[in-house]
Amino acid sequence: MTQYTTENIRTIALVGHGGAGKTTLAEAILLQAGAIQAVGSVEKGTTVSDYDPLEKSYQHSLHSSLLHVDNNNTRLHIVDTPGYPDFIGQAIGALDAVETAAVVINASAGIEMITSRMMNWTKKRQLCRIIVINKIDSENIDLPILVEAIRETFGKECLPINLPADNGTRVVDCFFNPSGESDFMSVEEAHQALIDQVVEVDENLMAQYLEQGEEIAPEQLHEPFERALREGHLIPICFTSAKNNIGIKELLNIAEKLLPNPTEGNPAPCYRGEGENTETFYPNQDPAAHALAHVFKIQIDPFVGKVSVFRVHQGTIKKDSQLYIGEGRKAFKAGHLFLMQGAKFVEVDSVVPGDIAAVSKIDEIEFDSVLHDSHDEDRIHMKPLEFPAPMHGVAIAPTKRGDEQRLSEVLHKMVAEDPTLSLEHDATLNETVLRGLGELHLRSVLERMSSVYKLDVETRPPRIPFRETVAAKAEGHHRHKKQSGGAGQFGEVFLRIEPLPRGAGFEFVDEVKGGTIPTQFIPAVKKGIEQVLEAGPTAGFPLQDVRVIVYDGKHHAVDSKEIAFVTAGRKAFPDAIGKAKPTVLEPIVKLQINSPSENMGDITGDLSGRRGQVTGTQTMRSGALVIEGIAPLTELEGYAARVKAITSGHGAWTMTLSHYEPAPHQLQQKLSEEFQKNRKQEED
């Protein structure tokens, strides 16, 4: 296989709302570049990207897929990502692997929920961006209005770099080509707008252009063009119909000639060190430097094992290279290096900055790991991505007795692959909860566990993650004294508690004076208090947003021991809580609901009936509405089915944790009574 230099590599992630045609677009690019001989179909399950049996069954992407094409002395790495909200974590993870994000928009649907989110996420990550309007030969579309909507929504820096012509049967270039005919808008006008936008980032070029009136050829604009992309001063719009191979050759040409190579894009946001000593670090894309790579995807195959997919940011990684994982002291040997073509592994001898490659069967590598070949890079980390919090959950247990250990192993494999899955275990209830981004997300995980790992499970709704806090200041005290022959136990603690602002967590303050509690026993007091935090005395939920100030106590020269002060702290804390207006908090979530406009009244009415409220609405070009609101998580059981019923299957929704608020009095009382009843039964 040909070895490309970093300057001849391009990396691009195809992102956007589900149904925009990203997988079909990737397939068309593979065909155009000669990587495949015949184009596959999403409906028939024959595409290179959607190779997983579940993806074929669902007829849309569930995971990001890695592809590459070699064309005109250029290697293009493509990450095809899912667009449905439940699987958006896979798309976010891909942003750390590329210089450019291609936001794909369905010409019929226009700007959709994930379109806006991906534009915001990619901007925040400082990626170069292009917009691809796909399905331009669909019926009943209005491309001029869509382009205007894009510019109004995302900024005037969004400019067509090509335009559809001959009723959407071909596209005409507007950057290198100064004139021509198109279906709408003058090619000459589009060309001039691009030149004007690009020269604005270079003062000398601008002066030459304006004052001297000199014509500037597009070939002279390479450096300012890349700068305009890096700074977000230009977001090119291009047009395609992937299904009918319209605009694909032109898109590939744009990628090869105009999109940044790894030395031209914005450097990966990294940092070195931890805490106060943290400093910004940028890889230098030098193939001769120490190797540095970042793992942005993990996939686990029952036959291949653990596959770790990484982007090389610095240095050269060769077959049999010795690499370290993060701060690990023991190196592993990269016995085989692969480029990935969907499910196919293509072995290579080496990879350079800009390459996206994989190693297999190295169990110690995890998502977000940094791989390097020198201890000089031990403390380098990638700036963390912001993933949506997994709020939908199911309590899960094996169908067969004795499968508990196997269930744990499989669940940990699922979580290792997906940064938007989380696993919780409630020791009190002996309940294991799997959380994800939505009902479909969790269903796909459970189906994979059944089909791939042959593991059947039982599920039920999990407990709501309530919390406890206090609403007033109070004092608590406990003296622990135990004498049973020989050395005894003695410890006495006086403390004050006070509420903290929502989200502040827990704060411990030592104000003991005069050594009434010796310094060596203060950690024991804190340990006892923290044991109460795990399960509050009111309803058994974790305590938060409280400050505990230990200000006095007593000790005994002989009988005071660590265990005595742990016990005293553990009992003084609930004594104070009982006097401080203990309160149960319920989680409040932010909702974003996509709904046909005619269903808005039903959606808002239903939300109101769930103690929720609408905080804003936005009308999409397609006529659909995006309704934003907040509601207690307690009231959202079965909400996915309700939205589906109200909108006849056309609605979609996502939620993220917003904050905690005091639960209604009746609910607090009910939870407290249930807890006290269960505790009494356990004591009996």
Side-chain angles (χ1 to χ4, degrees), residues 24-246:
T24 305
L25 182 61
E27 197 77 6
I29 292 172
L30 292 177
L31 181 68
Q32 180 66 44
I36 56 176
Q37 300 305 309
V39 68
S41 163
V42 171
E43 293 75 17
K44 295 179 181 178
T46 54
T47 64
V48 177
S49 289
D50 290 354
Y51 56 86
D52 185 275
L54 276 180
E55 291 178 314
K56 295 178 181 182
S57 171
Y58 282 41
Q59 295 190 2
H60 64 75
S61 302
L62 304 178
H63 310 280
S64 60
S65 184
L66 284 301
L67 312 164
H68 65 275
V69 298
D70 297 342
N71 192 62
N72 292 332
N73 199 35
T74 301
R75 170 169 290 158
L76 176 62
H77 289 282
I78 303 168
V79 188
D80 178 27
T81 70
Y84 286 94
D86 283 20
F87 307 100
I88 202 64
Q90 293 284 317
I92 296 173
L95 302 185
D96 269 350
V98 299
E99 268 71 48
T100 304
V103 182
V104 185
I105 296 177
N106 182 341
S108 298
I111 301 169
E112 300 177 90
M113 175 173 61
I114 297 301
T115 311
S116 298
R117 288 192 175 188
M118 292 313 305
M119 286 294 286
N120 291 333
W121 276 321
T122 52
K123 179 180 181 180
K124 193 171 184 179
R125 206 64 176 176
Q126 294 187 311
L127 294 181
C128 300
R129 292 172 290 169
I130 64 171
I131 292 172
V132 180
I133 299 178
N134 192 30
K135 306 184 182 182
I136 61 170
D137 52 354
S138 301
E139 295 182 0
N140 302 318
I141 60 173
D142 194 327
L143 293 176
I145 289 180
L146 176 54
V147 170
E148 189 56 36
I150 289 170
R151 301 192 73 208
E152 287 179 3
T153 305
F154 304 122
K156 299 301 181 184
E157 60 269 23
C158 301
L159 293 170
I161 199 166
N162 58 34
L163 288 167
D166 297 342
N167 295 318
T169 59
R170 67 182 183 92
V171 300
V172 56
D173 171 61
C174 300
F175 185 70
F176 296 105
N177 177 33
S179 62
E181 298 295 327
S182 75
D183 290 344
F184 70 94
M185 191 175 177
S186 161
V187 172
E188 183 177 357
E189 179 185 337
H191 173 80
Q192 196 62 52
L194 286 166
I195 302 298
D196 290 347
Q197 190 77 2
V198 170
V199 298
E200 284 182 2
V201 301
D202 189 314
E203 291 184 5
N204 294 330
L205 196 62
M206 173 72 88
Q208 175 186 336
Y209 181 56
L210 294 178
E211 296 173 13
Q212 301 175 24
E214 294 184 18
E215 282 293 326
I216 299 177
E219 289 78 8
Q220 297 175 265
L221 295 175
H222 183 83
E223 187 174 335
F225 189 94
E226 302 302 335
R227 182 177 170 187
L229 289 177
R230 284 196 303 272
E231 295 178 358
H233 191 68
L234 173 64
I235 303 174
I237 302 173
C238 45
F239 297 82
T240 64
S241 173
K243 190 172 183 179
N244 294 311
N245 201 35
I246 298 168

Side-chain angles (χ1 to χ4, degrees), residues 415-580:
V415 172
E417 288 184 294
D418 191 337
T420 56
L421 280 176
S422 72
L423 203 56
E424 303 169 1
H425 183 72
D426 189 320
T428 306
L429 295 176
N430 194 27
E431 179 181 75
T432 298
V433 178
L434 180 66
R435 295 195 183 276
L437 297 184
E439 183 183 18
L440 184 60
H441 187 198
L442 294 177
R443 191 171 79 218
S444 71
V445 173
L446 297 175
E447 287 183 17
R448 186 159 185 252
M449 290 170 62
S450 176
S451 62
V452 176
Y453 294 98
K454 311 302 179 187
L455 180 64
D456 293 325
V457 297
E458 298 173 346
T459 62
R460 58 179 174 78
R463 292 178 76 193
I464 299 294
F466 293 104
R467 297 290 183 264
E468 293 185 28
T469 191
V470 295
K473 296 180 180 180
E475 295 196 356
H477 160 254
H478 184 75
R479 172 186 286 189
H480 176 68
K481 185 176 181 180
K482 185 177 181 182
Q483 197 74 39
S484 57
Q489 295 179 12
F490 181 85
E492 188 169 4
V493 171
F494 293 85
L495 53 78
R496 291 190 299 269
I497 65 173
E498 54 190 49
L500 289 175
R502 289 287 171 269
F506 166 68
E507 187 178 323
F508 178 82
V509 180
D510 173 16
E511 289 188 359
V512 175
K513 294 180 175 62
T516 54
I517 300 178
T519 304
Q520 68 266 29
F521 293 131
I522 296 296
V525 177
K526 183 181 179 184
K527 182 178 179 181
I529 291 168
E530 288 175 338
Q531 290 176 359
V532 180
L533 289 175
E534 296 173 4
T538 305
F541 299 106
L543 274 157
Q544 65 179 38
D545 305 338
V546 61
R547 176 185 288 125
V548 179
I549 304 162
V550 177
Y551 66 89
D552 200 2
K554 291 181 182 178
H555 73 285
H556 188 277
V558 176
D559 292 345
S560 285
K561 298 178 178 64
E562 181 178 334
I563 183 63
F565 280 99
V566 169
T567 304
R570 189 176 68 240
K571 294 189 176 180
F573 191 20
D575 179 51
I577 292 170
K579 309 168 191 173

Side-chain angles (χ1 to χ4, degrees), residues 366-414:
E366 298 178 351
F367 175 81
D368 204 32
S369 291
V370 170
L371 310 180
H372 56 93
D373 62 1
S374 166
H375 287 303
D376 291 345
E377 277 73 44
D378 273 356
R379 302 174 68 222
I380 291 175
H381 308 274
M382 203 74 163
K383 181 180 177 182
L385 288 160
E386 295 181 11
F387 291 95
M391 294 298 298
H392 294 257
V394 290
I396 189 169
T399 303
K400 297 179 183 177
R401 290 189 63 184
D403 273 355
E404 289 80 8
Q405 181 61 34
R406 186 157 171 258
L407 172 63
S408 176
E409 292 172 358
V410 172
L411 284 174
H412 280 89
K413 288 180 180 180
M414 300 290 105

